[in-house]
Amino acid sequence: MQLIIDTANTTITVRNKCFYIKNAAVQKQISPLRLSSIAITTNCLLNTSAIKLAAHHQVPVLVFNNFGTIQARMTSPYFANLAMLRKKQLLFSISPQATTWIIKLLKKKSRQQVKTLKWLGRKKSSRRQEIEVAIDKMKSLEAKMEEIGSRPIANSKAVLMGIEGSISKIYFMALRVTVPPLFDFDKRSRRPALDFFNSGLNYLYGMTYSLVESGIFAKGLDPMIGIMHADQFKEPTLAFDLIEPIRPVMDRIWLGIIFQDILKKTDFIKKEQGYWLSKSGKRIVIKTFNEYTQQRVNYGGRVLRFKDHIYQEANSLGNYLLGNVELL
């Protein structure tokens, strides 16, 4: 399980070879053997003994900002010699095969977006015709990706990003007509979110990055060597690539929360010209996210825990670079 620290001034120390969590509301011990990670979303005190215990049991400590994005990560230093894998990753990033890989990722994303819209069509039958029109337009645009072929990514990236952007614009406008008035939005907005809908979606995407990055580190890939997002300096651009087909699944999770009608205005806060989830809103989103990622689901024709599906994206790329499998 993931230990979430969301109460300010919590202290994390060690007692009886366990993490000892203490704040104004709770005092408890948790064995490191029960934890997959520690997520910190507020100010707290983590002492050296707790850091060493986490490292020994390979429990990553993740520090999130208000957007739900990882701001810092502490992990175990024990890993194999990765020089050969990362050399191959760098060569791959400028090869025609990288274009083929990106096209496959974006097609996965588009098909997951279509799956989300079909799910919405079943839930919102009054909007089914509009949704079907959007799906047809998206499929026509997706077909244009095949025309690019296997040109070097430098010569095809702008075209691919243009197609992906057009598909996503149609997709989000189709989502917009299904949400209740409290969650109406004009367009995708990131930092800051300009409405409640985007604030929750941004937070879910931020949490997903933590799992994508964990998969990258677990395989030994370099998170800074991306393909489509390679021009973003000092950013984990490979994670930006690998998260693309996962985003529509997070959209379904967020829409599912919205349709449960459990969120209120008090679950959001406005500051710095934008909107963020409040503490109560984060608790709802984090709980739903953690429950879903532990479920066994069919994704891409395979039934695994969804968390393992996320790891599999990085694992497949690493295995291809090592010559173990074909490019999926």
Side-chain angles (χ1 to χ4, degrees):
M1 71 174 184
Q2 183 180 60
L3 172 62
I4 301 166
I5 306 298
D6 60 0
T7 300
N9 301 317
T10 296
T11 61
I12 309 173
T13 55
V14 174
R15 182 176 293 183
N16 301 322
K17 298 182 180 180
C18 293
F19 293 108
Y20 180 62
I21 316 301
K22 181 180 179 181
N23 56 44
V26 69
Q27 296 182 39
K28 62 182 178 181
Q29 295 184 66
I30 300 178
S31 169
L33 300 177
R34 295 177 56 199
L35 298 180
S36 59
S37 63
I38 299 173
I40 299 172
T41 65
T42 188
N43 293 330
C44 74
L45 179 63
L46 180 69
N47 76 0
T48 305
S49 295
I51 293 172
K52 289 180 178 179
L53 184 65
H56 178 74
H57 289 277
Q58 299 189 42
V59 176
V61 179
L62 313 172
V63 181
F64 291 87
N65 61 19
N66 287 333
F67 297 102
T69 303
I70 293 178
Q71 200 164 25
R73 170 195 294 268
M74 288 181 280
T75 56
S76 170
Y78 305 112
F79 49 83
N81 187 344
L82 307 176
M84 181 58 70
L85 175 62
R86 293 189 173 185
K87 179 180 178 181
K88 289 184 176 183
Q89 182 186 352
L90 183 59
L91 293 172
F92 172 77
S93 70
I94 56 175
S95 72
Q97 287 76 22
T99 303
T100 302
W101 180 69
I102 285 294
I103 289 173
K104 290 185 176 182
L105 277 185
L106 294 180
K107 288 174 71 174
K108 281 185 186 178
K109 177 181 181 179
S110 177
R111 289 165 189 176
Q112 284 295 324
Q113 288 173 325
V114 167
K115 184 175 179 179
T116 299
L117 291 182
K118 288 182 176 179
W119 171 75
L120 280 174
R122 293 191 294 271
K123 293 183 72 69
K124 305 289 181 179
S125 57
S126 63
R127 297 293 188 177
R128 188 170 297 163
Q129 186 173 358
E130 294 170 78
I131 288 171
E132 288 176 353
V133 169
I135 289 173
D136 288 340
K137 290 180 180 178
M138 290 165 62
K139 287 182 176 179
S140 295
L141 285 167
E142 182 193 311
K144 292 184 178 181
M145 293 184 191
E146 293 295 341
E147 300 172 8
I148 295 173
S150 56
R151 289 180 286 171
I153 191 66
N155 300 334
S156 52
K157 180 166 64 174
V159 177
L160 281 172
M161 293 185 77
I163 294 172
E164 187 276 332
S166 297
I167 291 173
S168 289
K169 184 175 181 180
I170 295 168
Y171 167 73
F172 277 105
M173 288 302 97
L175 295 191
R176 182 187 178 191
V177 301
T178 69
V179 298
L182 183 64
F183 293 94
D184 188 29
F185 64 98
D186 290 327
K187 60 181 180 179
R188 273 292 288 134
S189 55
R190 293 168 177 81
R191 297 188 179 185
L194 301 178
D195 47 70
F196 292 171
F197 180 87
N198 280 291
S199 65
L201 199 56
N202 290 347
Y203 199 80
L204 267 172
Y205 287 171
M207 293 182 68
T208 307
Y209 277 120
S210 70
L211 291 183
V212 174
E213 288 185 23
S214 293
I216 291 170
F217 283 115
K219 193 60 184 177
L221 295 165
D222 189 330
M224 301 297 182
I225 304 177
I227 309 298
M228 191 166 71
H229 298 89
D231 295 335
Q232 294 174 243
F233 184 60
K234 289 187 177 180
E235 296 284 356
T237 53
L238 182 59
F240 297 167
D241 290 341
L242 287 170
I243 198 176
E244 291 296 344
I246 309 298
R247 290 182 189 272
V249 182
M250 296 301 110
D251 301 342
R252 291 198 290 275
I253 292 175
W254 180 229
L255 289 164
I257 294 172
I258 289 172
F259 294 149
Q260 288 179 54
D261 199 28
I262 56 176
L263 290 168
K264 304 176 180 62
K265 288 185 178 181
T266 53
D267 293 316
F268 303 87
I269 53 176
K270 184 174 183 179
K271 61 179 181 179
E272 300 174 8
Q273 308 303 313
Y275 291 91
W276 283 261
L277 288 173
S278 67
K279 185 175 178 179
S280 60
K282 288 177 183 178
R283 283 181 174 171
I284 292 170
V285 171
I286 291 171
K287 180 177 183 293
T288 306
F289 175 84
N290 285 336
E291 288 175 351
Y292 186 83
T293 54
Q294 294 299 324
Q295 289 180 20
R296 291 177 62 83
V297 297
N298 189 326
Y299 175 83
R302 300 182 64 188
V303 178
L304 299 169
R305 288 188 311 165
F306 191 71
K307 180 178 180 179
D308 295 328
H309 282 300
I310 295 176
Y311 288 170
Q312 188 61 30
E313 294 289 351
N315 192 53
S316 296
L317 176 60
N319 285 340
Y320 168 75
L321 295 175
L322 293 170
N324 296 334
V325 296
E326 293 184 4
L327 191 61
L328 298 179

